Amino acid sequence: EFRGKGILKYMRDMHRDGEVSKQMTLFLLGDGESGKTSVIKALKSPNNTSERLHEDSRTVGIDISTWVTPGGEVEFKVLDLAGQAIYSKTHQLFLQQRAVYLLVWRAHESLLEDDSELSDRIVHWMESLQLRVPGSMMLLVAT
């Protein structure tokens, strides 16, 4: 006897009556001044660019906004997390399963000579996320 009839009925009902969610959460992670705010500004811009940010307009804590992809297929709730160490303890309160994580890092000429510091920072962010949201996936973005 097949015991999964209830599950199959539920799945058929969801397929028939269910609705596809077009909302996602997007987190921007990375060290301070790595370009997280510029990335989201560029994504929201019609020409995919961001103006240079001044020091007094850097993210303090968390900036929360909305971004609708061109064509309106997906609406993202965007959490741009400040990268300074002082904020890192509070960020873990906002992390969640079923979200898109972008790890933003600044590419510059000094990395061509010695990339160990960058590697250490990327590993730090990846391990930190996995400890708080096991199984989460992260996309790397160089600015």
Side-chain angles (χ1 to χ4, degrees):
E1 178 183 332
F2 181 65
R3 296 183 193 205
K5 288 182 183 179
I7 294 171
L8 282 177
K9 180 184 179 324
Y10 173 78
M11 291 176 70
R12 284 190 193 109
D13 290 346
M14 290 303 298
H15 179 70
R16 183 185 67 237
D17 302 328
E19 187 176 308
V20 175
S21 174
K22 295 184 178 189
Q23 295 179 328
M24 294 274 313
T25 302
L26 173 66
F27 285 90
L28 288 101
L29 308 170
D31 290 337
E33 298 184 41
S34 61
K36 298 176 296 296
T37 301
S38 295
V39 167
I40 193 58
K41 285 182 178 278
L43 287 172
K44 291 179 176 184
S45 165
N47 58 358
N48 297 319
T49 60
S50 174
E51 74 281 354
R52 184 165 177 82
L53 297 177
H54 299 287
E55 189 173 310
D56 58 341
S57 62
R58 286 184 291 190
T59 304
V60 176
I62 299 176
D63 280 344
I64 300 174
S65 63
T66 302
W67 169 50
V68 180
T69 59
E73 294 95 12
V74 180
E75 178 181 320
F76 285 97
K77 175 182 175 184
V78 179
L79 286 87
D80 179 359
L81 307 179
Q84 290 74 19
I86 194 167
Y87 300 115
S88 63
K89 298 295 183 205
T90 59
H91 290 164
Q92 62 188 319
L93 302 172
F94 296 91
L95 302 178
Q96 58 187 261
Q97 297 284 343
R98 301 185 51 86
V100 177
Y101 289 92
L102 299 184
L103 174 57
V104 180
W105 54 278
R106 187 189 318 176
H108 46 83
E109 289 184 24
S110 64
L111 295 176
L112 298 175
E113 298 166 12
D114 180 17
D115 64 355
S116 62
E117 181 182 343
L118 172 65
S119 178
D120 290 346
R121 296 306 302 152
I122 290 174
V123 168
H124 161 78
W125 283 102
M126 294 174 90
E127 288 178 347
S128 180
L129 182 62
Q130 288 303 310
L131 285 170
R132 289 156 181 84
V133 188
S136 58
M137 302 247 188
M138 183 183 290
L139 300 171
L140 299 178
V141 177
T143 59

